[in-house]
Amino acid sequence: MSDLISQDPSAIAQARAEAVEKWLRPEIRALQAYHVPPAEGLIKLDAMENPHAWPPALRQEWAQLLSEVDVNRYPSAGAEKVKAALAEAMAIPAEHGILLGNGSDEIIQLLAMAVAAPGRSILAPEPAFVMYKMIATYVGMDYVGVPLDSDFDLDLDATLAAIKQHQPALIFLALPNNPTGNLFSPAKLEAVIEAAEGLVVLDEAYTAFTEADHLDYLARYSNVLVMRTVSKIGLAGLRLGLLVGATAWLNEFEKLRLPYNINVLTQLSASFALKHYDVLLAQTADIRAQRQALAKALAAMPGVEQWPSEANFILMRCADARQVHQAMCDAGVLVKCLDGAHPSLANCLRLTVGSAAENEAMLAALSAALDLDKA
Ligand SMILES: *Cc1c(COP(=O)(O)O)cnc(C)c1O
């Protein structure tokens, strides 16, 4: 092409812009890339990470194992050791299959790719985890968001009507839900599953912070799968998620999984960490205790409304969330501002539960910001 032969940089830039516009799908060009705000130097309480480090002896042992990895070789394709370690740590009964993803985000993508076809839709209650909608767009599917009720529980009538109207190929229900933190009432959940003809994926990303467990739904319903991740348990950096359920489903999805999607370092590190699951469980138990302390402190703050949480974050509302968010940032504490993300999240912040010291700093910054807010 003559544009490429030309040495004129502005002509090449122009031709490139035209090609981007011509060849990239309009819905992709209209997307905003998933935004990760810079967090350097800040107390990071915006992404539901576990704040606790591993004990030094464990880090040493891990570093030794890593030094012996053959990075010149491809990883184990089936990652059977990782699956066995996950099954044992999470008490997943042997009759269920497990599929691994590079984070559960990749599993959401894989599920969507498997069902994508023109006119087909993905349904989720809203507000929900943003990747459900983004990935529907990635694969060219319609997305149906059904508003939750005023308690952030499923709006059963609206959900059943939407299922009837759209016949979604895929429904995502996060239990507990992100960013609201609550579980849905079991009777409504079951009514939705029974009404759905397509797949229903129960996203248990926050399983470590709740007593609720839906693995028993796998035997009761032909169209249910359970998705989990090690991210919120303390291994977010590894990128490892799992889908649990009948092999009649999973064997099909396996065909779409890219070979070697779980790299050698992740495989080794996850197997090692899961052998020391007691350390992670002690950390998540601390986070649960801190959640209670944080809720109590928030309850004593005038001008703060909060919702009960079964996860490692608390959703709260104040008079001017954007101003409070900025003031907290300026004070060195990063939380998530959800104002504008959904009508029901107006003036809401999502606070990740951190260590006792981090939460103390967060509460001090919040309290100072709320005072500014009033002034
Ligand atoms: C964080 C989160 C995930 C993504 O987890 P990764 O395994 O880190 O990709 C999935 N679902 C929900 C509801 C989440 O909040």
Side-chain angles (χ1 to χ4, degrees), residues 249-260:
W249 287 112
L250 299 197
N251 288 347
E252 299 301 319
F253 304 134
E254 277 291 345
K255 300 173 189 172
L256 291 173
R257 187 176 63 84
L258 293 176
Y260 315 122

Side-chain angles (χ1 to χ4, degrees), residues 19-174:
V20 165
E21 176 150 347
K22 175 172 177 184
W23 293 105
L24 297 194
R25 288 148 52 203
E27 65 270 26
I28 301 302
R29 284 188 281 122
L31 277 178
Q32 298 282 342
Y34 186 86
H35 176 62
V36 179
E40 209 172 294
L42 300 177
I43 297 177
K44 194 172 183 311
L45 297 170
D46 68 329
M48 284 77 88
E49 291 146 325
N50 174 342
H52 300 295
W54 291 358
L58 220 54
R59 292 178 86 99
Q60 276 286 305
E61 203 183 322
W62 173 48
Q64 179 60 39
L65 284 172
L66 284 176
S67 74
E68 292 159 12
V69 168
D70 291 323
V71 288
N72 53 318
R73 300 290 176 194
Y74 282 108
S76 156
E80 299 304 336
K81 283 186 194 157
V82 181
K83 287 186 190 174
L86 284 166
E88 190 183 334
M90 294 187 172
I92 297 168
E95 70 260 28
H96 303 314
I98 296 178
L99 174 142
L100 299 181
N102 191 309
S104 40
D105 288 349
E106 192 191 39
I107 295 175
I108 300 169
Q109 187 178 45
L110 215 139
L111 288 161
M113 277 197 299
V115 299
R120 285 196 172 184
S121 62
I122 292 179
L123 182 147
E126 293 229 298
F129 184 50
V130 294
M131 292 313 295
Y132 305 149
K133 182 178 184 177
M134 289 191 77
I135 285 173
T137 307
Y138 296 172
V139 301
M141 291 179 78
D142 295 331
Y143 174 78
V144 180
V146 183
L148 292 168
D149 70 14
S150 56
D151 296 323
F152 291 136
D153 197 358
L154 292 170
D155 179 336
L156 192 54
D157 290 344
T159 310
L160 295 182
I163 290 174
K164 200 166 171 203
Q165 184 187 347
H166 300 281
Q167 289 297 332
L170 200 48
I171 297 177
F172 286 104
L173 299 166

Side-chain angles (χ1 to χ4, degrees), residues 48 103-105 129 132 174 178 203 205-206 229 231-232 239-241:
M48 284 77 88
S104 40
D105 288 349
F129 184 50
Y132 305 149
N178 173 11
D203 182 347
Y206 299 95
T229 173
S231 293
K232 312 304 178 354
R239 308 306 298 131
L240 180 67

